[in-house]
């Protein structure tokens, strides 16, 4: 097991490095640079080329791309992600300020997805081919194929305006000291909207997996022993049916993190999504690189953790 | 010795317990009171407020991240940023009203010498900083010096290139700034290198005065960025305006409360909040719900906003137009008749009526400030036949090739503009001009513009002062070459040195007529802004409404009168 983990970590390094190269190349390919984004089109005449050049030098943008990449890499090795061009603050600090908000939102969505998805999946499996199953199938398709922003705006309209259950946006009530409950209150709507896609996929996988398990011999044995149906489903069937879902969790995390960008912007959620979108529009290179690096790291780690967890949960799996 | 193996059950227990506790701890930790990202410890902000009910709070929406939080003028660097907050927490020498006329603020009177080189300002004597210290001419002088220090990275060209000794001071070759003098505590004199009419409009209207007694100890590099921690720190973010800074959380909100000792009178509203409500859709719902009091309504929400029972919708005549820049270098557009044909071929009134809900009108001058608009300009009313005639005439002389395809670039990302550009393309196709449409996102668009990679380039146009246009047409670095017309260049130069306003207006009229005929660029539409105010908001006069659209260079001179009813 230990060798397996070490090997996985060793493989992760070149992957991470490759990702930074790709991110850097794409950032470079975006037309314009930070100075262009600073100077509005109407004000461009107020700047002489020498001034623009001086501004570029000021931000180190006059150096060739590969030099800048290696500088970035060198600093990364020292644990330094650089300074944001917009704010002048260290990228690490800015990310650490926002990462918790994003992780909280993703974690809540994931939790929501797993719990609701599993319950609905079990129902769908038990009631296979009934109207409930068919309704859930249709809903599953709708949830998985409708873009998040539709649910987001619809959700705000219905559950904040028409039925004033939740705040329209934000993470806390301004000013007042935020209580635990008010935070949960702000979290419900964005997390549910973000998690709907996950609900659908967990539901479908649980259903399939449950149907598989229910037909196994040991379930028949359990029934033959005269156990009640609830005990059979929850203790015997569901526990085994959940094992494949661990893979799903691993696969779901990158989707959720990607999905937060638009959800965060709509709900004014002060996380990484809002932050990185602003950085991309302003060509704030250190922030773009830093955010992508951290997200890649989170995704790689979560995949690794999922794989390891798999080995623990399912005794049939061995990594050697 | 045999190691005790971690069993599956142990693993499941430990990992789920860890996950749950990390999650809950995360939620709880984030419940801590709003902290500023500052290294300086901050006093409990809520205590400073003393007022905190929604009934006396006026709420604005702000985009994320709101533009400039620092009181330094955003247009020196951050063009489209807004600086609402600094406009309310800080004071300027004078402000502009909705007719672009100056109104006294810190300066009670000012004079400009006959040769437009010496600008003298007399300051009021009752102005105080939020910490109670008196505001004097020394503060004004040190603000200017501070801003002109290279380390601030502001590079205020209007100051460095005009103020006597400005460039030398900026370059660090001189330690004294000779162009600024303070003969007594309440007089400031700015001396320029050479005559510059209206320089004070361009340079001073948005100069937020900073307290010398605080900023003399601050390093420029530490505060220049508009999200620098200093601007989030009540001890440092001290101004002399009608409202005092309390607290802010980047990308979330800014809270300011009234300054009871404001020299312009005690503001009626106790607290103002700038809050990030997310995207326009969310903002609209917040407006509807009453969470948001004042909103700059985007065009596509205009009809819907009018239907809301809790909201008054106001139309604001903006001195803002959009134009098509034409590529001076493109041989396709070298002939004047071709350019005129473009103007005749597009049904601009039709566009306004159908696509813009009537919120615009065709405009025919580069001069978007209404009071300076020349009379008797050719209106270029929609006339496709005339356009065809002009093109045919140009073609007969080999100046137009019907196979030409014009590349039209725009940078407004919304669906509305896509429709507008499609309509323009259709209009032009009807007279036989082929157009290739290309949307470029903001930064890419600027690159295309500077590199001359366009035939027509759609952009917003909003200079604040008549003398600002000079540089655009005559020394333009955009698209590498200026509009090469010696007569116009001469006239433009004359505007900068003609002190007499009547004479100056005459010259501007002459230039407008000339541009109207030559069309080196194509003025297109002038817009009305839409503002939605919750019915509980009072005291929002024409100036206040107008400033909603000009927050980057005009003060809120009636903010003391804003009010909210319960």
């Amino acid at each position: 097991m230990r060798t397996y983990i070490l090997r996985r970590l060793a493989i992760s390094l070149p992957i991470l490095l490759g990702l930074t190269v790709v991110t850097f190349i794409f950032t470079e390919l975006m037309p314009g640079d930070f100075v262009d984004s600073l100077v509005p089109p109407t004000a461009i005449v107020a700047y002489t080329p020498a001034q623009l050049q001086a501004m570029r030098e000021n931000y180190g943008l006059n150096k060739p791309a590969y030099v800048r990449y290696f500088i970035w890499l060198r600093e990364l090795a020292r644990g330094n992600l650089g300074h944001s061009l917009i704010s002048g603050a260290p990228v690490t600090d800015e990310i650490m300020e926002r990462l918790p908000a994003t992780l909280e939102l993703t974690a809540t969505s994931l939790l929501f997805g797993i719990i609701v998805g599993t319950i609905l999946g079990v129902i769908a499996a038990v009631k296979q081919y009934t109207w409930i199953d068919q309704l859930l199938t249709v809903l599953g398709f709708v949830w998985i194929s409708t873009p998040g922003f539709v649910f987001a705006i619809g959700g705000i309209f219905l559950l904040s305006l028409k039925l004033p259950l939740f705040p329209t946006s934000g993470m806390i009530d301004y000013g007042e000291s935020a209580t635990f409950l008010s935070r949960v209150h702000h979290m419900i709507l964005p997390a549910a909207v973000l998690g709907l896609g996950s609900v659908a996929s967990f539901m479908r996988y649980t259903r399939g997996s449950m149907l598989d398990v229910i037909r196994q011999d040991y379930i028949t044995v359990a029934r033959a022993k005269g156990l009640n149906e609830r005990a059979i489903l929850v203790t015997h069937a569901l526990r085994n049916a959940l094992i494949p879902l661990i893979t799903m969790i691993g696969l779901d995390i990158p989707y959720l993190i990607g999905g937060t960008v638009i959800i965060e912007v709509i709900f004014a959620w002060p996380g990484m999504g809002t932050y990185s979108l602003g950085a991309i529009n302003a060509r704030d290179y250190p922030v773009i690189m830093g955010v992508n690096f951290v997200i890649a790291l989170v995704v790689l780690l979560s995949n690794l953790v999922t794989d390891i967890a798999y080995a623990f949960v399912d005794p049939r799996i061995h990594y050697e | 010795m045999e190691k005790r193996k971690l069993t599956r059950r142990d693993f499941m227990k430990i990992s789920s317990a860890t996950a749950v506790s990390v999650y809950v701890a995360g939620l709880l930790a984030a419940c801590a009171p709003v902290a500023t990202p500052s290294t300086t410890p901050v006093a409990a902000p809520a205590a400073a407020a003393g007022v905190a009910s929604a009934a006396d709070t006026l709420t604005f929406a702000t985009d994320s991240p709101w533009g400039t939080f620092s009181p330094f003028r955003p247009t020196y660097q951050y063009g489209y940023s807004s600086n609402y907050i600094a406009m309310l927490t800080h004071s300027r020498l004078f402000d502009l009203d909705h007719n672009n006329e100056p109104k006294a603020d810190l300066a009670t009177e000012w004079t400009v010498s006959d040769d437009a080189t010496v600008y003298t300002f007399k300051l009021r004597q009752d102005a105080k900083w939020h910490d109670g210290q008196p505001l004097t001419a020394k503060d004004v002088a040190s603000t200017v010096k501070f801003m002109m220090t290279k380390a601030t990275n502001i590079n205020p060209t209007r100051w460095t290139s005009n103020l006597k000794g400005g460039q030398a001071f900026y370059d660090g070759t001189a330690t004294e700034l000779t162009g600024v003098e303070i003969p007594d505590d309440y007089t400031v004199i700015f001396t320029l290198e050479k005559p510059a009419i209206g320089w004070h409009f361009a340079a001073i209207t948005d100069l937020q005065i900073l307290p010398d007694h605080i900023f003399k100890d601050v390093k420029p590099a530490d505060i220049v960025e508009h999200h620098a921690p200093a601007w989030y720190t009540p001890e440092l973010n001290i101004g002399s305006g009608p409202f005092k800074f309390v607290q802010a959380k980047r990308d979330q909100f800014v809270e300011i409360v009234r300054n009871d000792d404001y020299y312009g009178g005690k503001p009626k509203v106790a607290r103002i909040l700038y809050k990030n409500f997310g995207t326009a859709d969310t903002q609209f719902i917040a407006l509807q719900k009453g969470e948001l009091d004042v909103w700059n309504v985007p065009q596509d929400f205009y009809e819907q906003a009018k239907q809301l029972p809790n909201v008054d919708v106001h139309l604001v005549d903006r001195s803002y137009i959009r134009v098509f820049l034409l590529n001076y270098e493109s041989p396709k557009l070298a002939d004047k008749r071709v350019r005129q044909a473009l103007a005749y071929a597009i049904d601009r009134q039709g566009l306004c009526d159908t696509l813009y809900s009537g919120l615009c009108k065709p405009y025919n001058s580069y001069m978007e400030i209404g009071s300076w608009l020349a009379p008797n300009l050719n209106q270029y009313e929609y006339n496709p036949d005339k356009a065809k005639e002009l093109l045919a005439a140009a073609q007969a002389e080999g100046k137009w090739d019907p196979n030409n395809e014009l590349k039209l670039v725009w940078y407004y990302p919304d669906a509305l503009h896509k429709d507008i550009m499609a309509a323009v393309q259709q209009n032009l196709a009807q007279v036989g001009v082929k157009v290739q449409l290309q949307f470029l996102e903001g930064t890419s668009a600027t690159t295309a513009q500077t590199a001359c990679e366009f035939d027509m380039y759609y952009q917003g146009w909003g200079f604040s002062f008549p003398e600002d246009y000079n540089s655009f047409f005559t020394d333009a670095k955009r698209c590498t070459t200026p509009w090469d017309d010696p007569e116009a260049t001469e006239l433009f130069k004359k505007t900068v040195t003609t002190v007499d306003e009547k004479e100056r207006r005459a010259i501007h009229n002459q230039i407008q007529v000339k541009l109207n005929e030559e069309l080196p660029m194509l003025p297109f539409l002038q817009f009305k802004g839409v503002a939605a105010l919750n019915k509980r908001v009072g005291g929002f006069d024409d100036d206040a409404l107008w400033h909603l659209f000009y927050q980057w260079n005009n003060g809120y001179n009636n903010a003391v009168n804003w009010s909210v009813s319960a």
Side-chain angles (χ1 to χ4, degrees):
Chain A
M1 191 66 175
R2 187 175 298 157
T3 32
Y4 172 75
I5 295 176
L6 286 177
R7 203 168 58 217
R8 278 288 301 265
L9 284 175
I11 296 171
S12 298
L13 272 182
I15 294 179
L16 210 52
L17 198 69
L19 280 172
T20 65
V21 174
V22 172
T23 315
F24 193 84
I25 291 174
F26 276 109
T27 338
E28 276 306 306
L29 287 178
M30 288 197 290
D33 63 13
F34 180 62
V35 170
D36 289 321
S37 88
L38 277 185
V39 182
T42 41
I44 192 106
V45 290
Y47 292 83
T48 63
Q51 275 173 335
L52 292 175
Q53 186 55 28
M55 284 167 81
R56 290 206 161 85
E57 271 168 38
N58 214 328
Y59 291 111
L61 296 174
N62 54 329
K63 297 193 182 77
Y66 68 93
V67 175
R68 280 184 282 133
Y69 176 72
F70 284 113
I71 294 176
W72 184 81
L73 215 55
R74 186 188 69 203
E75 292 305 311
L76 179 70
R78 296 175 184 164
N80 174 13
L81 286 174
H83 286 71
S84 159
L85 298 181
I86 298 180
S87 71
V91 173
T92 326
D93 292 1
E94 295 206 326
I95 288 180
M96 289 321 288
E97 207 182 301
R98 289 168 172 76
L99 190 62
T102 297
L103 289 184
E104 242 171 62
L105 185 62
T106 356
T108 313
S109 302
L110 190 64
L111 212 64
F112 172 76
I114 295 172
I115 295 173
V116 179
T118 314
I119 294 174
L120 294 181
V122 172
I123 295 174
V126 174
K127 309 270 177 193
Q128 197 188 5
Y129 301 139
T130 64
W131 66 270
I132 298 183
D133 183 28
Q134 273 148 7
L135 178 72
L136 286 175
T137 306
V138 173
L139 282 180
F141 276 121
V142 173
W143 291 337
I144 214 162
S145 52
T146 311
F149 66 87
V150 175
F151 289 125
I153 293 166
I156 297 174
F157 181 77
L158 288 177
L159 300 177
S160 176
L161 179 68
K162 293 292 161 195
L163 266 179
L165 295 176
F166 302 105
T168 46
S169 57
M171 189 174 174
I172 45 165
D173 290 323
Y174 57 83
E176 337 297 340
S177 58
T179 62
F180 178 74
L181 281 181
S182 99
R183 290 184 58 82
V184 172
H185 191 209
H186 278 82
M187 168 98 73
I188 295 175
L189 203 50
V193 164
L194 182 62
L196 271 183
S198 311
V199 168
S201 55
F202 281 115
M203 177 176 82
R204 296 304 293 168
Y205 273 89
T206 311
R207 180 183 180 274
S209 174
M210 270 301 268
L211 288 175
D212 261 0
V213 174
I214 286 175
R215 295 192 186 111
Q216 300 283 329
D217 291 347
Y218 65 87
I219 298 292
T220 317
V221 170
R223 285 213 174 97
K225 284 200 300 189
L227 285 181
N228 72 32
E229 195 61 20
R230 175 184 292 260
I232 293 171
L233 285 178
V234 177
T235 325
H236 296 271
L238 183 60
R239 288 177 74 145
N240 287 303
L242 286 181
I243 293 173
L245 289 191
I246 291 174
T247 322
M248 278 302 300
I249 296 175
L251 290 175
D252 213 34
I253 288 172
Y255 280 105
L256 283 175
I257 290 182
T260 52
V261 174
I262 188 77
I263 297 298
E264 282 184 8
V265 172
I266 291 176
F267 283 94
W269 193 264
M272 303 266 281
T274 315
Y275 182 51
S276 58
L277 204 64
I280 290 169
N281 286 333
R283 306 289 191 267
D284 192 342
Y285 302 122
V287 174
I288 302 176
M289 291 299 291
V291 167
N292 279 296
F293 178 76
V294 170
I295 288 179
L297 204 64
V298 169
V299 169
L300 284 175
L301 280 179
S302 65
N303 281 346
L304 179 64
V305 169
T306 322
D307 285 352
I308 296 168
Y310 214 96
F312 273 101
V313 176
D314 189 343
R316 289 167 299 185
I317 308 255
H318 287 283
Y319 300 115
E320 282 314 330
Chain B
M1 200 175 92
E2 197 187 40
K3 269 192 281 183
R4 189 180 171 276
K5 264 201 154 176
L6 189 66
T7 66
R8 281 197 307 129
R9 264 167 227 282
D10 291 341
F11 172 79
M12 296 290 278
K13 274 182 204 151
I14 293 169
S15 53
S16 40
T18 318
V20 169
S21 49
V22 165
Y23 179 72
V24 171
L27 272 180
L28 284 172
C31 287
V34 173
T36 52
S38 156
T39 46
T40 329
V42 179
V51 281
S53 85
D56 48 16
T57 299
L58 184 63
T59 308
F60 289 80
T62 170
D63 286 339
S64 166
W66 48 73
T68 295
F69 191 29
S70 120
F72 284 129
R73 181 184 174 166
T75 27
Y76 285 130
Q77 274 205 337
Y78 303 98
Y80 290 138
S81 312
S82 51
N83 58 350
Y84 309 90
I85 296 118
M87 280 291 173
L88 292 168
T89 53
H90 288 67
S91 308
R92 299 143 298 278
L93 293 179
F94 60 83
D95 281 327
L96 293 171
D97 69 5
H98 68 284
N99 293 315
N100 251 29
E101 295 297 327
K103 279 191 174 175
D105 191 348
L106 282 175
T108 46
E109 55 186 285
W110 52 94
T111 51
V112 182
S113 67
D114 288 345
D115 62 349
T117 55
V118 183
Y119 289 74
T120 308
F121 292 85
K122 289 274 181 201
L123 305 189
R124 61 189 308 145
Q125 309 199 358
D126 57 351
K128 283 200 182 95
W129 294 106
H130 292 159
D131 62 2
Q133 302 273 339
L135 188 156
T136 65
K138 196 176 168 202
D139 294 304
V140 179
S142 63
T143 301
V144 171
K145 281 188 190 165
F146 197 80
M147 179 185 65
M148 291 180 68
T149 308
K150 200 167 197 167
T152 62
N153 204 16
I154 295 176
N155 192 6
T157 45
R158 282 173 181 143
W159 289 85
T160 47
S161 57
N162 283 302
L163 204 63
K164 207 168 164 190
Q167 196 62 49
F169 181 80
Y170 178 77
D171 293 339
T173 52
T175 51
E176 285 306 306
L177 186 52
T178 47
V180 184
E181 289 163 281
I182 40 172
D184 61 63
D185 271 358
Y186 299 100
T187 309
V188 186
I189 303 170
F190 297 112
T191 312
L192 308 189
E193 292 276 3
K194 55 180 193 296
I197 298 294
W199 168 80
H200 59 315
F201 285 115
I204 290 174
T205 43
D206 49 3
L207 178 71
Q208 313 282 3
I209 308 302
L210 299 174
D212 176 66
H213 66 281
I214 288 174
F215 282 89
K216 65 179 195 298
D217 302 324
V218 172
K219 274 187 291 178
D222 288 343
I223 62 160
V224 61
E225 301 299 349
H226 61 231
H227 286 301
W231 304 124
Y232 291 80
T233 315
E235 285 79 1
L236 282 173
N237 195 349
I238 286 196
S240 52
F243 290 86
K244 296 195 268 193
F245 174 80
V246 180
Q247 59 169 342
K249 186 110 175 111
R250 186 173 165 190
D251 296 348
Q252 295 187 51
F253 68 89
V254 180
E255 180 187 2
I256 55 179
V257 293
R258 74 169 152 232
N259 170 12
D260 290 345
D261 301 325
Y262 181 54
Y263 53 80
K266 180 178 163 178
K268 287 184 180 150
V269 67
R271 176 165 76 157
I272 295 180
L273 210 65
Y274 285 88
K275 202 176 162 203
N276 180 1
F277 283 96
T279 53
D281 303 271
T282 325
Q283 291 173 15
F284 178 71
I285 291 173
L287 176 79
Q288 208 170 344
K289 217 179 153 186
E291 288 179 5
L292 170 62
D293 291 314
V294 183
W295 194 40
N296 286 19
V297 182
Q299 199 100 44
D300 35 348
F301 283 92
Y302 170 55
E303 296 292 346
Q304 280 171 282
K306 279 200 294 190
Q307 312 296 326
L308 297 183
N310 63 332
V311 160
D312 286 322
V313 172
H314 300 263
L315 292 184
V316 181
D317 273 314
R318 302 181 59 188
S319 314
Y320 175 69
I321 60 175
R322 293 211 177 115
V323 304
F324 278 110
L325 301 184
L326 301 178
N327 186 346
Y328 301 145
E329 296 192 337
S330 167
K332 299 173 202 165
L333 298 173
D335 193 280
K336 164 170 106 179
R337 287 165 299 188
V338 176
R339 303 193 293 263
Q340 289 174 339
L342 298 179
Y344 280 118
I346 304 171
D347 183 7
R348 294 179 289 168
Q349 189 62 52
L351 279 179
C352 284
D353 294 342
T354 52
L355 292 174
Y356 267 113
S357 318
L359 291 173
C360 61
K361 60 175 188 222
Y363 206 74
N364 293 290
S365 174
Y366 66 92
M367 176 71 81
E368 83 283 1
I369 304 167
S371 52
W372 287 76
L373 181 66
N376 310 325
L377 295 177
N378 182 354
Q379 297 301 306
Y380 289 100
E381 274 165 27
Y382 178 52
N383 190 344
D385 295 331
K386 175 103 182 164
K388 281 183 202 159
E389 257 171 57
L390 286 164
L391 285 172
Q395 193 183 344
E397 291 173 27
K399 302 276 177 61
W400 170 252
D401 177 355
N403 293 319
N404 282 341
E405 191 177 51
L406 302 182
K407 181 172 166 187
L408 190 163
V409 174
W410 83 98
Y411 55 74
Y412 297 96
D414 49 295
L416 178 65
H417 277 86
K418 222 169 160 178
D419 292 344
I420 291 167
M421 295 308 143
V424 168
Q425 187 184 35
Q426 221 171 14
N427 275 170
L428 291 176
Q430 277 160 7
V431 299
V433 176
K434 278 180 266 184
V435 173
Q436 177 210 348
L437 296 180
Q438 187 174 27
F439 165 76
L440 291 174
E441 162 273 338
T443 311
S444 323
T446 311
T447 314
Q449 193 214 57
T450 1
C452 263
E453 285 162 0
F454 67 91
D455 294 302
M456 301 170 77
Y457 182 96
Y458 191 64
Q459 75 159 46
W461 182 271
F463 291 104
S464 305
F465 312 99
E467 281 63 46
D468 278 3
Y469 302 95
N470 188 349
S471 59
F472 197 86
F473 289 105
T474 58
D475 354 297
K477 295 294 181 294
R478 78 164 170 99
C479 206
T480 59
T481 44
W483 178 37
D484 194 16
D485 183 320
E487 200 189 328
T489 309
E490 211 40 55
L491 285 171
F492 269 121
K493 276 190 186 148
K494 247 165 94 180
T495 62
V496 195
T497 49
T498 309
V499 180
D500 185 75
E501 193 181 301
K502 228 173 158 183
E503 266 178 61
R504 204 144 38 93
R505 278 179 188 271
I507 304 172
H508 275 293
N509 285 354
Q510 244 180 304
I511 308 177
Q512 288 181 65
V513 170
K514 195 167 172 54
L515 263 92
N516 182 239
E517 165 74 14
E518 293 287 332
L519 292 182
M521 53 92 101
L522 209 60
F524 201 60
L525 301 171
Q526 188 183 41
F527 293 89
K528 282 182 201 296
V530 186
L533 260 61
N534 190 305
K535 288 204 162 101
R536 72 191 197 111
V537 177
F540 234 73
D541 67 1
D542 284 348
D543 283 340
L545 286 170
W546 192 72
H547 289 147
L548 285 177
F549 300 92
Y550 289 91
Q551 66 293 97
W552 55 87
N553 62 0
N554 296 282
Y556 287 102
N557 51 37
N558 84 327
V560 289
N561 294 325
W562 300 350
S563 65
V564 284
S565 54

